[in-house]
């Protein structure tokens, strides 16, 4: 079972909501999970209706079955101070560097350094043990950057290890990559059944595999419930268009007015057929995109569209959907 779950996805696919639901699902049956935010957007705090997350780990929810979810917003500057203290014992000097803005300068001119610090902090949480040698967290879930840069974000430690041949920087980068490329890690991609998100998912999977990073599953988010049993296709719409008069009569029998051209039922035929064509086209598009996802050969999970928006109750509901689909096994 993986212990570090990295959640990525194209902007607008709901990856933060999925990451939160996954953390709750993995906290089932009394487990402890840590939900990590690395982009500084405080989206997790908004979902759980709590104060802005600090750099310290804080319990934010109790899952079904009594499990606990903790959360942490990783700040690159604070992580660098920890790093300086851990490897160079520069606690006081590090704080002085912070006051003069040197740390912010360093992470700005070296963006890769920021990614090293963010991934390193998450991997440290995965490796951490209590006094009895047991993992502090059963699972760590990272709400990661978008799919377009996920392979570079996770693979930056490989570059750093290659640049720094010896010393603590080299050892730290190697330790992080050992976690990221191991069976302990799974990178999950969130998508919608739309052309651009699916294509970005396909490209992201290819990049992750090329980088030797472990791909977990694909989460299809915001799945709409079927409007009609058995679906609707272009053939059904074409048959209805050829029988406009019968359609008008059927609407009239349903109590929607007269079936003549000027009657209310007759006036409803054209817009009803237009909506039918649009619905059939959308279903055909979704079926084609689903086939693209299935062709990846990965576990696929589906989450229903939250019609009332992504509130806390909705996140708990999504966590149960993920649990029922076996994501916690």
């Amino acid at each position: 079972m993986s212990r570090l779950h990295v959640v990525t996805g194209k902007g607008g696919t709901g990856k933060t909501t999925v990451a939160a639901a996954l953390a709750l699902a993995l906290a089932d049956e009394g487990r402890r999970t840590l939900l990590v935010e690395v982009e500084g957007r405080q989206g997790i705090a908004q979902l759980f209706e709590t104060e802005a997350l600090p750099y310290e780990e804080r319990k934010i929810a109790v899952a079904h079955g009594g499990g606990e979810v903790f959360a942490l917003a990783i700040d690159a500057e604070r992580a660098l101070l920890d790093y300086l203290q851990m490897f160079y014992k520069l606690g006081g000097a590090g704080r002085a560097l912070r006051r003069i803005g040197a740390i912010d300068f360093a992470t700005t001119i070296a963006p890769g350094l920021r990614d090293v610090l963010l991934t390193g902090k998450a991997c440290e949480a995965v490796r951490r043990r209590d006094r009895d040698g047991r993992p502090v967290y059963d699972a760590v879930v990272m709400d990661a950057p978008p799919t377009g840069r996920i392979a570079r974000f996770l693979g930056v430690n490989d570059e750093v290890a290659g640049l720094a041949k010896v010393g603590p920087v080299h050892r730290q980068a190697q330790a992080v990559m050992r976690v990221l490329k191991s069976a302990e890690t799974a990178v999950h991609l969130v998508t919608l059944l739309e052309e651009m998100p699916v294509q970005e998912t396909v490209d992201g999977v290819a990049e992750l595999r090329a980088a030797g990073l472990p791909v977990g599953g694909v989460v299809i988010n915001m799945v709409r419930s079927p409007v009609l049993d058995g679906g609707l296709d272009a053939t059904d719409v074409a048959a209805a268009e050829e029988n406009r008069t019968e359609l008008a009569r059927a609407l009239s029998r349903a109590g929607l007015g007269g079936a003549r051209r000027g009657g209310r039922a007759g006036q409803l035929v054209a817009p009803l057929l237009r909506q039918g064509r649009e619905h059939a086209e959308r279903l055909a598009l979704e079926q084609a995109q689903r086939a693209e996802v299935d062709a990846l050969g990965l576990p696929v999970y589906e989450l229903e569209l939250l019609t009332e928006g992504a509130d806390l109750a909705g996140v708990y509901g999504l966590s149960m959907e993920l649990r029922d689909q076996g994501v916690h096994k």
Side-chain angles (χ1 to χ4, degrees), residues 82-155:
D82 286 352
Y83 181 86
L84 292 173
Q85 174 60 24
M86 184 183 304
F87 293 110
Y88 297 101
K89 308 303 180 186
L90 293 179
R95 287 188 290 274
L97 289 171
R98 183 184 185 185
R99 283 195 296 271
I100 65 174
I103 291 177
D104 187 56
F105 176 73
T107 55
T108 299
I109 64 171
L113 174 60
R114 182 178 295 272
D115 291 348
V116 167
L117 296 168
L118 297 176
T119 53
K121 184 68 175 178
C123 290
E124 181 275 327
V126 173
R127 297 193 304 262
R128 196 185 313 159
R129 298 291 189 271
D130 61 19
R131 293 180 179 179
D132 297 322
R134 295 173 298 192
V136 172
Y137 294 106
D138 296 288
V140 176
V141 178
M142 180 194 294
D143 179 17
T147 315
R149 75 180 195 94
I150 188 64
R152 180 66 186 274
F153 173 75
L154 296 177

Side-chain angles (χ1 to χ4, degrees), residues 36-290:
V36 176
E37 182 175 278
V38 299
E39 294 187 282
R41 295 185 294 106
Q42 290 294 336
I44 292 171
Q46 294 174 28
L47 278 175
F48 285 93
E49 301 172 2
T50 186
E51 299 175 355
L53 297 178
Y55 184 63
E56 293 77 22
E57 294 153 28
R58 186 179 73 195
K59 187 169 79 170
I60 60 168
V62 176
H64 295 287
E68 298 176 323
V69 177
F70 291 74
L72 165 68
I74 301 179
D75 176 78
E77 186 176 272
R78 292 283 300 275
L80 181 54
L81 288 174
D82 286 352
Y83 181 86
L84 292 173
Q85 174 60 24
M86 184 183 304
F87 293 110
Y88 297 101
K89 308 303 180 186
L90 293 179
R95 287 188 290 274
L97 289 171
R98 183 184 185 185
R99 283 195 296 271
I100 65 174
I103 291 177
D104 187 56
F105 176 73
T107 55
T108 299
I109 64 171
L113 174 60
R114 182 178 295 272
D115 291 348
V116 167
L117 296 168
L118 297 176
T119 53
K121 184 68 175 178
C123 290
E124 181 275 327
V126 173
R127 297 193 304 262
R128 196 185 313 159
R129 298 291 189 271
D130 61 19
R131 293 180 179 179
D132 297 322
R134 295 173 298 192
V136 172
Y137 294 106
D138 296 288
V140 176
V141 178
M142 180 194 294
D143 179 17
T147 315
R149 75 180 195 94
I150 188 64
R152 180 66 186 274
F153 173 75
L154 296 177
V156 70
N157 286 276
D158 255 349
E159 298 179 19
V160 171
L163 292 172
K165 301 297 184 183
V166 295
V169 173
H170 176 78
R171 291 193 296 272
Q172 168 71 359
Q174 281 194 319
V176 171
M177 288 313 301
R178 279 196 295 271
V179 174
L180 293 178
K181 290 190 173 184
S182 73
E184 286 188 298
T185 298
V187 184
H188 307 290
L189 298 95
V190 182
T191 189
L192 308 179
L193 287 177
E194 297 173 5
E195 190 171 359
M196 288 185 64
V198 168
Q199 185 58 56
E200 192 160 313
T201 298
V202 172
D203 294 342
V205 169
E207 291 175 5
L208 289 166
R209 286 171 170 168
L213 293 161
V215 184
V218 177
V219 180
I220 301 176
N221 197 21
M222 305 184 198
V223 177
R224 298 178 178 88
S225 300
V227 176
L228 299 172
D229 293 337
L232 180 72
D233 59 25
T235 303
D236 299 321
V237 176
E241 288 182 335
E242 291 180 1
N243 295 277
R244 286 172 172 256
T245 301
E246 181 56 35
L247 177 58
R249 289 172 178 168
L251 293 172
S252 179
R253 288 195 296 270
L256 296 176
R260 295 180 178 274
R261 184 181 294 256
R264 177 168 173 75
Q267 294 174 350
L268 290 174
V269 169
L272 184 62
L273 287 172
R274 183 176 63 252
Q275 290 185 4
R277 285 192 297 272
E278 293 172 353
H279 183 67
E281 289 169 0
R282 180 171 65 79
L283 288 180
L285 174 63
E286 289 181 352
Q287 290 170 2
Q289 299 310 311
R290 192 182 299 273

